[in-house]
Amino acid sequence: MKVCEGLANYSLTKFGHEQAERTAEYIFKNYKVDKIYSSSLKRAVQTAMHISKKTNIKVIQEDKLQEFNNGLRAGLEYKLAYEKYPNISTAIHESHYQQESELEFRMRAEYVLSKILSENEPASTIVIVSHGGMIMRLYQAFLKLPVGSNVKLITGDAGIHDWSIEDGQQFINYSNFPHFYRIKLTPSNIAAEAEAAAKK
C-alpha cells in the first residue's frame, strides 16, 4: 500500500487476511498462547482475531500499541504527504503536523511493554499484535536501548518475533521470522492488492 498508514484505520486486504491466517496457523502449532494483546487499529485487530479463533483466546485491545501517530500525513499517498508536509529537522521531544514526537512514541512503547509484563506471569506466552514502527520501539524498550538510539529493527507484514525473559535476561530468539506459511505473491494476489489500494 503506497500510503502513509500510521493512524489511518484501514482494514486488512484479502491478501492481508490470508497472511494473518497463516501466521495464526504457525502460532497455534508452535506455541501454547496464554494471552493476546492487539493494537486497536482495524488491521491489527483483524490479524489478532485470526489468532484468537485458532487459540480460543480473547483479544485484549490496547490503544497504546497503535502505530506512530503521523498526524496530517495519515492516509495520504506518500508523494503527496511529503510534498504537503516535508520532513523538518527537530529535537526528539518536538513534533510537527499534529504528529506525536519521537520521544512520546518511545515512551508509549515503554509504558505498554511494562504494563503487559506486569500483568502476566513470567512463564506466560504472550502474543502482541502491533505495527512496524511500534514493534521497533518495543524492541528498543525490551533491550533497554537509549532513547534516540539509531538502531533499526525491521519487521515485514505478518512477521513473527520471538522474545523471552529468563532469569532476568532478555533474549531475542528470532526476529522477523519468515515462517513457512507465508503466501507466495502470485499475479492474482498482486492484482487484488492493487485493486484494494486503488480504492483507498
Side-chain angles (χ1 to χ4, degrees):
M1 195 176 298
K2 301 297 184 183
V3 299
C4 295
E5 289 184 278
L7 284 194
N9 203 11
Y10 294 133
S11 296
L12 287 177
T13 62
K14 179 178 181 291
F15 183 53
H17 277 289
E18 291 172 354
Q19 286 184 308
E21 180 62 20
R22 282 153 180 79
T23 297
E25 285 181 28
Y26 181 86
I27 290 171
F28 176 66
K29 290 179 178 179
N30 290 276
Y31 298 93
K32 184 182 181 302
V33 176
D34 295 300
K35 204 172 284 187
I36 302 169
Y37 291 85
S38 173
S39 157
S40 51
L41 293 177
K42 287 178 187 175
R43 57 193 185 272
V45 173
Q46 290 168 351
T47 298
M49 288 305 299
H50 283 275
I51 303 167
S52 176
K53 288 174 184 175
K54 291 283 185 186
T55 61
N56 200 32
I57 302 291
K58 72 176 183 178
V59 176
I60 300 169
Q61 294 188 38
E62 172 56 69
D63 290 343
K64 286 187 168 28
L65 285 171
Q66 290 183 358
E67 182 58 289
F68 176 66
N69 179 353
N70 54 346
L72 297 173
R73 286 175 176 164
L76 294 180
E77 187 272 330
Y78 270 112
K79 187 172 184 294
L80 175 61
Y82 286 91
E83 284 176 353
K84 289 185 69 173
Y85 309 112
N87 285 334
I88 299 172
S89 180
T90 185
I92 62 171
H93 70 282
E94 297 176 328
S95 65
H96 301 279
Y97 312 131
Q98 300 176 23
Q99 299 176 343
E100 67 184 325
S101 70
E102 181 57 41
L103 183 60
E104 288 170 328
F105 193 25
R106 172 63 184 271
M107 290 304 102
R108 184 151 61 85
E110 294 280 351
Y111 177 94
V112 74
L113 182 61
S114 176
K115 177 176 182 287
I116 289 170
L117 292 177
S118 68
E119 289 176 349
N120 295 280
E121 295 298 322
S124 299
T125 298
I126 309 304
V127 172
I128 298 174
V129 181
S130 190
H131 314 271
M134 173 52 76
I135 290 169
M136 185 169 78
R137 272 67 183 187
L138 290 171
Y139 262 106
Q140 293 171 347
F142 183 72
L143 296 174
K144 304 185 187 306
L145 296 177
V147 174
S149 169
N150 286 325
V151 175
K152 306 295 183 185
L153 300 131
I154 306 302
T155 187
D157 292 345
I160 296 177
H161 307 258
D162 185 303
W163 306 348
S164 60
I165 301 175
E166 302 170 27
D167 298 324
Q169 296 185 76
Q170 287 93 339
F171 293 88
I172 306 297
N173 300 313
Y174 51 78
S175 172
N176 202 24
F177 179 55
H179 53 85
F180 297 111
Y181 295 95
R182 189 67 58 81
I183 304 167
K184 290 183 178 179
L185 280 173
T186 64
S188 61
N189 280 334
I190 293 169
E193 288 291 287
E195 182 180 350
K199 293 177 180 177
K200 300 298 183 185

